[in-house]
Structure formats: structure tokens, C-alpha cells
Amino acid sequence: MLFFATILFSQLLMVFGRSIDRSKSSVTTRRSLPDGFTLRRSTAANLHPAGIFRFGFNVDSQNQTALHASLVATSDPLSSEYGQHLSKSQVGQWDFGSWVAQLSAPAPESVKTVLGWLQDHGLTPDAVSPSGNMLTVRMSLEKANSVLNANYSAYVHAATNTTIWRTLSYSVPAHVDEHLSFIYPTTQFIPPPVSAAVTTHVTDQATGNVGQIAACAEAITPQCLQKPYNIPSTPATTPGNGIVVGGSAAQVTDLNDLKTFLAQERPDIASAPFTMQLVNGTTVQGTGTSSATTAVGVQYTAGLATNVSTAVIYPGQEDDADGVQGLLDITNSLLAQDTPPLVFLTSVQYEEAAFHTAPEVAQSLCNAFAQLGARGTSVIVTSGGSGDTSRAMFPATCPYVTSVGSTQGTNPERAADFSAGGFSNVFPRPAYQLDAVDGYLRQLGNSSASSTNTTGRGYPDVSAQGAQFVVEVGGQVQSVNSTSASSATFAAVVALLNDRLLNAGKPPLGFLNPLLYSKGLPGLNDIISGSSSGPNGFTATTGWDRLV
Ligand SMILES: *[C@@H]1O[C@H](CO)[C@@H](O)[C@H](O)[C@H]1NC(C)=O
Ligand SMILES: *[C@@H]1O[C@H](CO)[C@@H](O)[C@H](O)[C@H]1NC(C)=O
Ligand SMILES: *[C@@H]1O[C@H](CO)[C@@H](O)[C@H](O)[C@H]1NC(C)=O
Ligand SMILES: *[C@@H]1O[C@H](CO)[C@@H](O)[C@H](O)[C@H]1NC(C)=O
Ligand SMILES: *[C@@H]1O[C@H](CO)[C@@H](O)[C@H](O)[C@H]1NC(C)=O
Ligand SMILES: *[C@@H]1O[C@H](CO)[C@@H](O)[C@H](O)[C@H]1NC(C)=O
Ligand SMILES: *[C@@H]1O[C@H](CO)[C@@H](O)[C@H](O)[C@H]1NC(C)=O
Ligand SMILES: *[C@@H]1O[C@H](CO)[C@@H](O)[C@H](O)[C@H]1NC(C)=O
């Protein structure tokens, strides 16, 4: 019997790996408040009046290497796996209790450990992200103070006068912490996203001649882009080819603006297939006044991608102004779909340095974009820019998105002064752009690059017109200079290319960069020429391979 007992014990050891010491805690402390934030002094109890907050418990994914390798193989036009986008269950599908072999999921044991610990505190996640790596829990800050041994207080980001609720310290039992990548929000102090749009109000007179080529030098309309970029105005015909534009709670979309815009600029498509949704699938109606950034994104996708279904997706409850929760919500809701949209466009942009207190959050978002790419979604973001255009911008610096900068003018079409470009200080240079960036740096010589860290991921990947776009905002015609204008234009072109590919029985483009840096846009023409002909073909545009 003794022998038997010994065997059992050793088997148990094999199952559990090692004994768990539940008395140890792992403490995370921020020694000082990050620059730009101050404690909000308050005489009343320093707790949020609205009460319930959402907390994301992010569980370590086992190993992203396989996902990234698969993404590279399916997006490299020279690979035999090109275009073989992965299904939801291949990328990661968490189903309470059952596991499917997958590339991007955490170890079942990790999720179970975190779930068990939450349940010990009477907490049940009300949402689990598709790959199981994010457990969302609702609780009051008081409860969070007790569960996390924290001290949540209100902090003001001075430059934007926005308030966030954070703690300078928290602790989690060590046997749980080893499975957690991060808990959000805790000690992350991320300044709000920066605005991409520069606008000026223009008189109706200035746009009175819309659509006439003579006016394109002063005011860009969809028709001004269709001509030089040879974007067809004929309707796309394949179902299931959609563009989703990421919205934020703070940026509503005014449907009347889109209507007016289309009536004036695309009278041939007065009723574009356009919807607004919440992350949970509910359709909503727009109220309030759009921002120029949202308006340009909506109007130039719906206005150029003729008959491609376009939707704006809004996050759920956002507790504070940093927008991170919203972006996580949106990417997770897209990943949860069996057939995610073929194009995802977001103009949310942060200074990459804004994540210095939370590099793991930027990494997690970038991994979510990689998962979308692996599923066949082209993730398109702006290169950013406003103020100092030399600061690295996220998510443009994520290697798994296509980042779009702005050009202006014709003859020559040149980089726009408001458009950012540069190198990541976080993400290393991906293989697909090694040659292009090396070539660029050699051309630049040693002097210009001397003060910049040029070892990381370079961006933007492509550029398109972005200045003086005619946009309808709150019933007024405005002129917008913005990289959002460029990314919307590019997103529309990608959606129309997908329509050609789908009609030819080919897979959609998915993650674009390995293609853009090898066969490039002329290569796209090659891919398409076998399937379509006629007067509306695409031609290579100038500047799209430019690394500004
Ligand atoms: C991650 O996965 C790759 C491919 O599946 C494997 O080669 C590598 O050893 C793994 N790395 C770790 C740290 O487990
Ligand atoms: C919590 O933080 C606030 C603000 O820094 C401080 O005034 C208070 O004393 C702290 N409470 C505890 C219990 O540490
Ligand atoms: C900052 O915002 C608060 C409300 O959140 C307001 O009471 C205060 O006046 C604002 N301060 C400045 C300088 O705008
Ligand atoms: C628009 O696209 C749908 C598929 O989404 C297609 O059924 C319809 O025929 C298209 N409309 C036109 C005018 O081609
Ligand atoms: C989606 O969320 C909204 C707002 O929180 C809520 O009103 C609606 O009932 C939800 N819909 C579904 C289908 O869960
Ligand atoms: C740049 O500097 C490296 C070493 O510092 C040198 O070998 C190279 O020749 C320089 N290139 C140019 C274009 O000046
Ligand atoms: C330079 O960028 C790389 C990313 O490629 C990063 O690992 C490194 O820490 C950066 N160096 C500095 C000094 O920021
Ligand atoms: C927008 O860009 C155009 C072309 O570069 C420029 O003339 C105009 O002044 C810019 N508008 C703003 C508000 O910066």
C-alpha cells in the first residue's frame, strides 16, 4: 500500500507540476505618478459616483510565435499558403470547458486558475474574449480595492483635463499572477488618443463646383480621387465584403451628414449600405454631432467603396477617456465573429510613448490585430500626425497593421506636412520591410537619421491623398487635412480589390504588408488582371510604396 500511495502522489505531482504556495503575493507598485497626471483632490469619498467599473484580466497567451509564423505564411505572396486565411477555431476559440487546438489561446490551466481565484472572490466574468485571453469582470472600485489590495483614486491628465481611476499599487496571489499578463485598469496611465484631424470651415461657394476637376486643386471630393487613382464607380457585387470603421463612445456619427454628403458628391449612390452597431451586435441610430475624424472615415469609405457594406462599430461602456477598453472591445468583438469584416479601419491613434506605463497593453492590442490579419482582415490605421510628426504613433507602429500616411498635391504628389512617419521604439523591424527600410536608410545617409532610433518597425507603409477633403460635419461643409482621409481612401480601395478577387473565386487580401513590400500594388494588378478587364481597372498609384 505504501508503494501504491507513493505512485499516486508522484502522479499528482505530475498533474499539478508542483505544489502551490497560496500565501505568497505578487505586488505591483508604481513608485511615482507618471508625468502629466495629478491626483484629483476631493473632500468627498474619493470613489467614482457611477460605481461599477469593468476590469479586464488578461491571461498570458502560451506562445504567439506560431500565430505570427502562420500570419506571415498566409500573407506572403511567395508562400504556398498565401491567402489560406485561418478560421476562428484555428486562431483561438475559448468555450467554457472545452478547448480546440489553436494558435493564440492561453493554456487552459491559466484560465482555470484565474477563473477559480475570481470565483473565490464571488466574481464571475461576464465576457471572455474569443481566444480566452481576456476575462471581463464588473465590480465597484471598493470591491476592487479589496480583491486587489489596491487604492483606486481619481487622477487628472492635465493636458486634456480628463479623469481616470487608477491605483499606484495592487497585489495578486503569486500563483495567479504568474498566469496574468495584465489587469486593466490598474497602474496603467495612458493619456487619451490624439486627434488626427485638422479642419477649416469652407464656404459653400468653395465647394459649389464639386465634382468638377478644376476644383480638385482646392477641394478633394470622391470624384477627385476616382480619376487619378482609377477607382471604379461601378458597384461592388459580392456579399460578405464589408468595411468596419472603429468608433468611440465620444465620436458619434451623424447619419444626416452621410446622406447630405452622398447626395452632393455621389448622387448615383444616395443609399449606400451603411449601419451603426454596438460591439454586442445591436444596431443603433446616430445622434449628436460627428467629429471631423469620424465623418471623414465614414464618408470616404461609403463614398468610394461603392455598394460595399460599411459599418461603424461602437464599444460598450467605457469607464475613462483613454479609449483602450473600447479598442480592446472592438477587436475582441470582431474576432468573435465567424466571418469578420474583410477590412477594419481605425483612426484612433496614440503616441507610442503613451504606453510607457503599459507596454503589455500595446502588445496585446497588436496581437489582436495579428489575429485579425490571420483571419483574413486587412487592418488599416492612420500613420498619425498632429503637432510633432516625428513622435512614433501607435497602432501605426504595430507590425501587423497597414499604416497609411498622407500626400498632398499633384505633379508632384508629395508627403503632407501633417503626416507622421518614423520608427517604433518598441516593435522590432518585421522581415517584410527589411530591404525597403535598409534601402531608405542608405539613401538618407548617416546625418539625418543620427538622432533617431531607426532599428524598429518603420511606418507608414503606404500613402494617399489626405489634404483638403470635403467633409460634411454637423450640417456644414468642412475642409479636412487628415491622415484619416488617406486611410479611409485606402480602405475603400482595398475593399474594391477584395470584390474583384472574390468575384474571381480568389481569397481576400487579408494582412497586406508582405504583399505591399514585395509584389506591391502593381502586383495587385497582376493578380486581378486575369479576372477582370474593361475600363475600370486599377492602376498603380504614385507614392503608395513611399516610406515617408
Ligand atoms: C513557440 O512556438 C514555436 C512554434 O510552434 C516553437 O518553435 C517555439 O519553441 C515556442 N517557443 C516557446 C518559448 O515555447
Ligand atoms: C489612497 O490614496 C490616496 C491618494 O493618494 C491617499 O490620500 C490615501 O491615504 C490612500 N489610502 C490608503 C489606505 O493608502
Ligand atoms: C476640467 O473638467 C472639470 C469637469 O470634469 C471642470 O469642472 C473643470 O472646470 C475643468 N478644468 C479646466 C481647466 O477646464
Ligand atoms: C450590391 O451588393 C449586393 C451584395 O452585397 C448585390 O447583391 C447587389 O446586386 C449589388 N448591387 C448592385 C447595384 O450591383
Ligand atoms: C447591447 O448593449 C446595449 C447597450 O449597453 C443594450 O442596450 C442592448 O440591450 C445590448 N443588446 C444585446 C443584444 O445584448
Ligand atoms: C554611415 O556610418 C557607418 C559607420 O558609422 C559607415 O560605415 C558608413 O559608410 C556611413 N554611411 C554613409 C552613407 O555615410
Ligand atoms: C530602439 O527601438 C528598438 C525597437 O526596435 C527597441 O528595442 C529599443 O529599446 C529602442 N531603443 C531606445 C533607446 O529607445
Ligand atoms: C491643409 O493642407 C493644405 C495643403 O497643404 C494647406 O494649404 C492648408 O492650409 C491646410 N489647412 C490647414 C487647416 O492646415
Side-chain angles (χ1 to χ4, degrees), residues 316-353:
Q317 176 192 345
E318 287 191 281
D319 295 326
D320 55 41
D322 74 11
V324 167
Q325 206 165 33
L327 208 47
L328 287 167
D329 277 355
I330 287 172
T331 50
N332 282 330
S333 98
L334 298 181
L335 284 168
Q337 298 174 14
D338 289 327
T339 48
L342 299 185
V343 174
F344 173 56
L345 171 70
T346 176
S347 56
V348 173
Q349 47 161 349
Y350 298 86
E351 291 195 4
E352 187 182 72

mmCIF file of all heavy atoms in Angstrom, residues 316-353:
data_model
loop_
_atom_site.group_PDB
_atom_site.id
_atom_site.type_symbol
_atom_site.label_atom_id
_atom_site.label_comp_id
_atom_site.label_asym_id
_atom_site.label_seq_id
_atom_site.Cartn_x
_atom_site.Cartn_y
_atom_site.Cartn_z
ATOM 1 N N GLY A 316 -18.666 49.165 -25.968
ATOM 2 C CA GLY A 316 -19.640 49.229 -24.885
ATOM 3 C C GLY A 316 -19.238 50.302 -23.895
ATOM 4 O O GLY A 316 -18.611 51.295 -24.257
ATOM 5 N N GLN A 317 -19.585 50.045 -22.654
ATOM 6 C CA GLN A 317 -19.275 51.011 -21.604
ATOM 7 C C GLN A 317 -17.774 51.314 -21.564
ATOM 8 O O GLN A 317 -16.948 50.411 -21.529
ATOM 9 C CB GLN A 317 -19.695 50.424 -20.252
ATOM 10 C CG GLN A 317 -19.345 51.303 -19.064
ATOM 11 C CD GLN A 317 -19.503 50.559 -17.738
ATOM 12 O OE1 GLN A 317 -20.117 49.505 -17.665
ATOM 13 N NE2 GLN A 317 -18.927 51.133 -16.691
ATOM 14 N N GLU A 318 -17.431 52.590 -21.618
ATOM 15 C CA GLU A 318 -16.040 52.992 -21.481
ATOM 16 C C GLU A 318 -15.918 53.802 -20.205
ATOM 17 O O GLU A 318 -16.585 54.816 -20.049
ATOM 18 C CB GLU A 318 -15.602 53.832 -22.677
ATOM 19 C CG GLU A 318 -15.421 53.016 -23.928
ATOM 20 C CD GLU A 318 -14.729 53.816 -25.022
ATOM 21 O OE1 GLU A 318 -15.399 54.611 -25.670
ATOM 22 O OE2 GLU A 318 -13.521 53.646 -25.197
ATOM 23 N N ASP A 319 -15.079 53.330 -19.295
ATOM 24 C CA ASP A 319 -15.018 53.978 -17.998
ATOM 25 C C ASP A 319 -14.180 55.242 -18.000
ATOM 26 O O ASP A 319 -14.359 56.114 -17.183
ATOM 27 C CB ASP A 319 -14.469 53.007 -16.953
ATOM 28 C CG ASP A 319 -15.415 51.831 -16.753
ATOM 29 O OD1 ASP A 319 -16.641 52.045 -16.851
ATOM 30 O OD2 ASP A 319 -14.945 50.715 -16.527
ATOM 31 N N ASP A 320 -13.218 55.317 -18.909
ATOM 32 C CA ASP A 320 -12.444 56.543 -18.926
ATOM 33 C C ASP A 320 -11.988 56.908 -20.320
ATOM 34 O O ASP A 320 -12.317 56.211 -21.288
ATOM 35 C CB ASP A 320 -11.279 56.496 -17.928
ATOM 36 C CG ASP A 320 -10.379 55.313 -18.147
ATOM 37 O OD1 ASP A 320 -10.101 55.005 -19.320
ATOM 38 O OD2 ASP A 320 -9.963 54.681 -17.168
ATOM 39 N N ALA A 321 -11.287 58.026 -20.385
ATOM 40 C CA ALA A 321 -11.066 58.665 -21.676
ATOM 41 C C ALA A 321 -9.910 58.066 -22.462
ATOM 42 O O ALA A 321 -9.655 58.501 -23.572
ATOM 43 C CB ALA A 321 -10.807 60.156 -21.450
ATOM 44 N N ASP A 322 -9.219 57.057 -21.936
ATOM 45 C CA ASP A 322 -8.038 56.622 -22.677
ATOM 46 C C ASP A 322 -8.374 55.772 -23.914
ATOM 47 O O ASP A 322 -7.526 55.533 -24.755
ATOM 48 C CB ASP A 322 -6.995 55.957 -21.765
ATOM 49 C CG ASP A 322 -7.370 54.560 -21.307
ATOM 50 O OD1 ASP A 322 -8.334 53.990 -21.831
ATOM 51 O OD2 ASP A 322 -6.674 54.036 -20.414
ATOM 52 N N GLY A 323 -9.635 55.327 -24.012
ATOM 53 C CA GLY A 323 -10.063 54.648 -25.234
ATOM 54 C C GLY A 323 -9.550 53.231 -25.394
ATOM 55 O O GLY A 323 -9.924 52.539 -26.334
ATOM 56 N N VAL A 324 -8.705 52.780 -24.471
ATOM 57 C CA VAL A 324 -8.081 51.465 -24.614
ATOM 58 C C VAL A 324 -9.110 50.350 -24.484
ATOM 59 O O VAL A 324 -9.138 49.411 -25.272
ATOM 60 C CB VAL A 324 -6.963 51.289 -23.563
ATOM 61 C CG1 VAL A 324 -6.515 49.849 -23.472
ATOM 62 C CG2 VAL A 324 -5.793 52.196 -23.912
ATOM 63 N N GLN A 325 -9.995 50.497 -23.494
ATOM 64 C CA GLN A 325 -11.022 49.489 -23.291
ATOM 65 C C GLN A 325 -11.888 49.353 -24.547
ATOM 66 O O GLN A 325 -12.234 48.242 -24.961
ATOM 67 C CB GLN A 325 -11.896 49.924 -22.116
ATOM 68 C CG GLN A 325 -12.560 48.797 -21.400
ATOM 69 C CD GLN A 325 -13.081 49.275 -20.053
ATOM 70 O OE1 GLN A 325 -13.492 50.439 -19.905
ATOM 71 N NE2 GLN A 325 -13.049 48.422 -19.071
ATOM 72 N N GLY A 326 -12.204 50.485 -25.170
ATOM 73 C CA GLY A 326 -13.013 50.478 -26.371
ATOM 74 C C GLY A 326 -12.334 49.734 -27.508
ATOM 75 O O GLY A 326 -12.951 48.937 -28.207
ATOM 76 N N LEU A 327 -11.040 49.982 -27.672
ATOM 77 C CA LEU A 327 -10.294 49.328 -28.742
ATOM 78 C C LEU A 327 -10.203 47.818 -28.494
ATOM 79 O O LEU A 327 -10.347 47.014 -29.419
ATOM 80 C CB LEU A 327 -8.897 49.951 -28.819
ATOM 81 C CG LEU A 327 -8.164 49.945 -30.156
ATOM 82 C CD1 LEU A 327 -9.048 50.416 -31.293
ATOM 83 C CD2 LEU A 327 -6.906 50.799 -30.070
ATOM 84 N N LEU A 328 -10.001 47.441 -27.240
ATOM 85 C CA LEU A 328 -9.978 46.013 -26.902
ATOM 86 C C LEU A 328 -11.343 45.381 -27.165
ATOM 87 O O LEU A 328 -11.448 44.299 -27.739
ATOM 88 C CB LEU A 328 -9.589 45.814 -25.426
ATOM 89 C CG LEU A 328 -8.122 46.050 -25.068
ATOM 90 C CD1 LEU A 328 -7.947 46.139 -23.556
ATOM 91 C CD2 LEU A 328 -7.229 44.948 -25.631
ATOM 92 N N ASP A 329 -12.419 46.090 -26.772
ATOM 93 C CA ASP A 329 -13.780 45.603 -27.004
ATOM 94 C C ASP A 329 -14.033 45.368 -28.486
ATOM 95 O O ASP A 329 -14.597 44.359 -28.890
ATOM 96 C CB ASP A 329 -14.809 46.652 -26.547
ATOM 97 C CG ASP A 329 -15.079 46.579 -25.060
ATOM 98 O OD1 ASP A 329 -14.545 45.673 -24.404
ATOM 99 O OD2 ASP A 329 -15.823 47.448 -24.571
ATOM 100 N N ILE A 330 -13.648 46.359 -29.276
ATOM 101 C CA ILE A 330 -13.942 46.293 -30.710
ATOM 102 C C ILE A 330 -13.171 45.141 -31.359
ATOM 103 O O ILE A 330 -13.739 44.330 -32.090
ATOM 104 C CB ILE A 330 -13.625 47.642 -31.394
ATOM 105 C CG1 ILE A 330 -14.689 48.672 -31.000
ATOM 106 C CG2 ILE A 330 -13.574 47.487 -32.913
ATOM 107 C CD1 ILE A 330 -14.392 50.079 -31.456
ATOM 108 N N THR A 331 -11.869 45.039 -31.073
ATOM 109 C CA THR A 331 -11.093 43.963 -31.714
ATOM 110 C C THR A 331 -11.610 42.599 -31.248
ATOM 111 O O THR A 331 -11.742 41.683 -32.058
ATOM 112 C CB THR A 331 -9.588 44.091 -31.419
ATOM 113 O OG1 THR A 331 -9.389 44.259 -30.024
ATOM 114 C CG2 THR A 331 -8.977 45.264 -32.158
ATOM 115 N N ASN A 332 -11.945 42.485 -29.976
ATOM 116 C CA ASN A 332 -12.472 41.204 -29.492
ATOM 117 C C ASN A 332 -13.813 40.868 -30.126
ATOM 118 O O ASN A 332 -14.087 39.703 -30.434
ATOM 119 C CB ASN A 332 -12.600 41.210 -27.970
ATOM 120 C CG ASN A 332 -11.247 40.996 -27.298
ATOM 121 O OD1 ASN A 332 -10.381 40.328 -27.862
ATOM 122 N ND2 ASN A 332 -11.064 41.564 -26.127
ATOM 123 N N SER A 333 -14.644 41.878 -30.346
ATOM 124 C CA SER A 333 -15.956 41.578 -30.932
ATOM 125 C C SER A 333 -15.793 41.170 -32.400
ATOM 126 O O SER A 333 -16.529 40.323 -32.894
ATOM 127 C CB SER A 333 -16.915 42.749 -30.762
ATOM 128 O OG SER A 333 -16.971 43.536 -31.908
ATOM 129 N N LEU A 334 -14.819 41.742 -33.095
ATOM 130 C CA LEU A 334 -14.588 41.329 -34.490
ATOM 131 C C LEU A 334 -14.034 39.908 -34.527
ATOM 132 O O LEU A 334 -14.424 39.092 -35.369
ATOM 133 C CB LEU A 334 -13.624 42.291 -35.196
ATOM 134 C CG LEU A 334 -14.090 43.744 -35.322
ATOM 135 C CD1 LEU A 334 -13.050 44.580 -36.057
ATOM 136 C CD2 LEU A 334 -15.436 43.828 -36.044
ATOM 137 N N LEU A 335 -13.130 39.598 -33.589
ATOM 138 C CA LEU A 335 -12.543 38.248 -33.552
ATOM 139 C C LEU A 335 -13.586 37.202 -33.188
ATOM 140 O O LEU A 335 -13.457 36.035 -33.540
ATOM 141 C CB LEU A 335 -11.386 38.206 -32.549
ATOM 142 C CG LEU A 335 -10.089 38.852 -33.033
ATOM 143 C CD1 LEU A 335 -9.111 39.031 -31.888
ATOM 144 C CD2 LEU A 335 -9.481 38.005 -34.145
ATOM 145 N N ALA A 336 -14.635 37.633 -32.479
ATOM 146 C CA ALA A 336 -15.675 36.688 -32.066
ATOM 147 C C ALA A 336 -16.575 36.293 -33.230
ATOM 148 O O ALA A 336 -17.311 35.328 -33.146
ATOM 149 C CB ALA A 336 -16.515 37.299 -30.950
ATOM 150 N N GLN A 337 -16.528 37.065 -34.318
ATOM 151 C CA GLN A 337 -17.401 36.747 -35.455
ATOM 152 C C GLN A 337 -16.821 35.583 -36.262
ATOM 153 O O GLN A 337 -15.610 35.464 -36.415
ATOM 154 C CB GLN A 337 -17.556 37.984 -36.355
ATOM 155 C CG GLN A 337 -18.224 39.147 -35.624
ATOM 156 C CD GLN A 337 -18.254 40.424 -36.454
ATOM 157 O OE1 GLN A 337 -18.024 40.406 -37.649
ATOM 158 N NE2 GLN A 337 -18.530 41.542 -35.793
ATOM 159 N N ASP A 338 -17.731 34.737 -36.776
ATOM 160 C CA ASP A 338 -17.261 33.621 -37.595
ATOM 161 C C ASP A 338 -16.640 34.134 -38.889
ATOM 162 O O ASP A 338 -15.660 33.589 -39.380
ATOM 163 C CB ASP A 338 -18.417 32.670 -37.910
ATOM 164 C CG ASP A 338 -18.848 31.904 -36.665
ATOM 165 O OD1 ASP A 338 -17.966 31.608 -35.825
ATOM 166 O OD2 ASP A 338 -20.050 31.633 -36.508
ATOM 167 N N THR A 339 -17.216 35.188 -39.449
ATOM 168 C CA THR A 339 -16.614 35.815 -40.622
ATOM 169 C C THR A 339 -16.425 37.298 -40.321
ATOM 170 O O THR A 339 -17.335 38.099 -40.502
ATOM 171 C CB THR A 339 -17.507 35.650 -41.872
ATOM 172 O OG1 THR A 339 -18.845 36.016 -41.498
ATOM 173 C CG2 THR A 339 -17.513 34.224 -42.373
ATOM 174 N N PRO A 340 -15.254 37.656 -39.826
ATOM 175 C CA PRO A 340 -15.008 39.067 -39.506
ATOM 176 C C PRO A 340 -14.965 39.887 -40.798
ATOM 177 O O PRO A 340 -14.820 39.330 -41.880
ATOM 178 C CB PRO A 340 -13.642 39.040 -38.812
ATOM 179 C CG PRO A 340 -12.992 37.776 -39.244
ATOM 180 C CD PRO A 340 -14.094 36.812 -39.563
ATOM 181 N N PRO A 341 -15.117 41.204 -40.685
ATOM 182 C CA PRO A 341 -15.105 42.039 -41.886
ATOM 183 C C PRO A 341 -13.757 41.907 -42.606
ATOM 184 O O PRO A 341 -12.739 41.646 -41.980
ATOM 185 C CB PRO A 341 -15.298 43.450 -41.337
ATOM 186 C CG PRO A 341 -14.819 43.376 -39.927
ATOM 187 C CD PRO A 341 -15.188 42.000 -39.460
ATOM 188 N N LEU A 342 -13.777 42.095 -43.915
ATOM 189 C CA LEU A 342 -12.524 41.950 -44.667
ATOM 190 C C LEU A 342 -11.627 43.162 -44.498
ATOM 191 O O LEU A 342 -10.425 43.087 -44.739
ATOM 192 C CB LEU A 342 -12.830 41.694 -46.147
ATOM 193 C CG LEU A 342 -13.624 40.411 -46.415
ATOM 194 C CD1 LEU A 342 -13.779 40.173 -47.909
ATOM 195 C CD2 LEU A 342 -12.943 39.202 -45.754
ATOM 196 N N VAL A 343 -12.228 44.298 -44.099
ATOM 197 C CA VAL A 343 -11.423 45.499 -43.849
ATOM 198 C C VAL A 343 -11.842 46.102 -42.517
ATOM 199 O O VAL A 343 -13.040 46.305 -42.274
ATOM 200 C CB VAL A 343 -11.602 46.552 -44.976
ATOM 201 C CG1 VAL A 343 -10.883 47.849 -44.617
ATOM 202 C CG2 VAL A 343 -11.096 46.021 -46.309
ATOM 203 N N PHE A 344 -10.872 46.345 -41.652
ATOM 204 C CA PHE A 344 -11.133 47.069 -40.404
ATOM 205 C C PHE A 344 -10.294 48.332 -40.419
ATOM 206 O O PHE A 344 -9.076 48.293 -40.610
ATOM 207 C CB PHE A 344 -10.783 46.216 -39.183
ATOM 208 C CG PHE A 344 -10.872 46.978 -37.878
ATOM 209 C CD1 PHE A 344 -12.047 47.623 -37.517
ATOM 210 C CD2 PHE A 344 -9.787 47.055 -37.023
ATOM 211 C CE1 PHE A 344 -12.145 48.340 -36.321
ATOM 212 C CE2 PHE A 344 -9.866 47.766 -35.825
ATOM 213 C CZ PHE A 344 -11.048 48.406 -35.478
ATOM 214 N N LEU A 345 -10.973 49.465 -40.244
ATOM 215 C CA LEU A 345 -10.317 50.767 -40.305
ATOM 216 C C LEU A 345 -10.457 51.456 -38.964
ATOM 217 O O LEU A 345 -11.562 51.569 -38.435
ATOM 218 C CB LEU A 345 -10.996 51.611 -41.401
ATOM 219 C CG LEU A 345 -10.624 53.085 -41.502
ATOM 220 C CD1 LEU A 345 -9.193 53.247 -42.021
ATOM 221 C CD2 LEU A 345 -11.590 53.809 -42.432
ATOM 222 N N THR A 346 -9.364 51.900 -38.392
ATOM 223 C CA THR A 346 -9.492 52.714 -37.181
ATOM 224 C C THR A 346 -8.581 53.926 -37.279
ATOM 225 O O THR A 346 -7.463 53.838 -37.783
ATOM 226 C CB THR A 346 -9.188 51.935 -35.888
ATOM 227 O OG1 THR A 346 -9.259 52.850 -34.771
ATOM 228 C CG2 THR A 346 -7.816 51.295 -35.887
ATOM 229 N N SER A 347 -9.099 55.056 -36.827
ATOM 230 C CA SER A 347 -8.258 56.252 -36.841
ATOM 231 C C SER A 347 -7.843 56.639 -35.428
ATOM 232 O O SER A 347 -7.302 57.709 -35.206
ATOM 233 C CB SER A 347 -8.975 57.404 -37.544
ATOM 234 O OG SER A 347 -10.206 57.643 -36.923
ATOM 235 N N VAL A 348 -8.086 55.742 -34.471
ATOM 236 C CA VAL A 348 -7.613 56.009 -33.111
ATOM 237 C C VAL A 348 -6.089 55.975 -33.123
ATOM 238 O O VAL A 348 -5.486 55.065 -33.688
ATOM 239 C CB VAL A 348 -8.139 54.949 -32.132
ATOM 240 C CG1 VAL A 348 -7.520 55.122 -30.760
ATOM 241 C CG2 VAL A 348 -9.650 55.041 -32.027
ATOM 242 N N GLN A 349 -5.472 56.953 -32.534
ATOM 243 C CA GLN A 349 -4.016 56.964 -32.526
ATOM 244 C C GLN A 349 -3.474 57.568 -31.231
ATOM 245 O O GLN A 349 -3.978 58.549 -30.725
ATOM 246 C CB GLN A 349 -3.483 57.745 -33.733
ATOM 247 C CG GLN A 349 -4.194 59.070 -33.920
ATOM 248 C CD GLN A 349 -3.412 60.026 -34.785
ATOM 249 O OE1 GLN A 349 -2.258 59.803 -35.101
ATOM 250 N NE2 GLN A 349 -4.028 61.130 -35.155
ATOM 251 N N TYR A 350 -2.451 56.919 -30.741
ATOM 252 C CA TYR A 350 -1.771 57.345 -29.522
ATOM 253 C C TYR A 350 -0.321 57.615 -29.853
ATOM 254 O O TYR A 350 0.220 57.046 -30.796
ATOM 255 C CB TYR A 350 -1.771 56.227 -28.481
ATOM 256 C CG TYR A 350 -3.118 55.784 -28.022
ATOM 257 C CD1 TYR A 350 -3.825 54.826 -28.730
ATOM 258 C CD2 TYR A 350 -3.679 56.300 -26.862
ATOM 259 C CE1 TYR A 350 -5.066 54.399 -28.307
ATOM 260 C CE2 TYR A 350 -4.926 55.879 -26.430
ATOM 261 C CZ TYR A 350 -5.611 54.936 -27.152
ATOM 262 O OH TYR A 350 -6.844 54.515 -26.729
ATOM 263 N N GLU A 351 0.309 58.438 -29.040
ATOM 264 C CA GLU A 351 1.760 58.438 -29.115
ATOM 265 C C GLU A 351 2.208 57.100 -28.545
ATOM 266 O O GLU A 351 1.703 56.654 -27.516
ATOM 267 C CB GLU A 351 2.334 59.596 -28.298
ATOM 268 C CG GLU A 351 2.005 60.930 -28.951
ATOM 269 C CD GLU A 351 2.834 62.079 -28.399
ATOM 270 O OE1 GLU A 351 3.723 61.827 -27.565
ATOM 271 O OE2 GLU A 351 2.572 63.210 -28.817
ATOM 272 N N GLU A 352 3.145 56.454 -29.236
ATOM 273 C CA GLU A 352 3.605 55.155 -28.756
ATOM 274 C C GLU A 352 4.126 55.280 -27.321
ATOM 275 O O GLU A 352 3.922 54.391 -26.488
ATOM 276 C CB GLU A 352 4.706 54.625 -29.682
ATOM 277 C CG GLU A 352 5.131 53.211 -29.376
ATOM 278 C CD GLU A 352 6.267 52.769 -30.295
ATOM 279 O OE1 GLU A 352 7.407 53.258 -30.115
ATOM 280 O OE2 GLU A 352 6.010 51.958 -31.186
ATOM 281 N N ALA A 353 4.744 56.409 -27.035
ATOM 282 C CA ALA A 353 5.294 56.628 -25.697
ATOM 283 C C ALA A 353 4.210 56.691 -24.632
ATOM 284 O O ALA A 353 4.483 56.524 -23.448
ATOM 285 C CB ALA A 353 6.128 57.913 -25.686
#
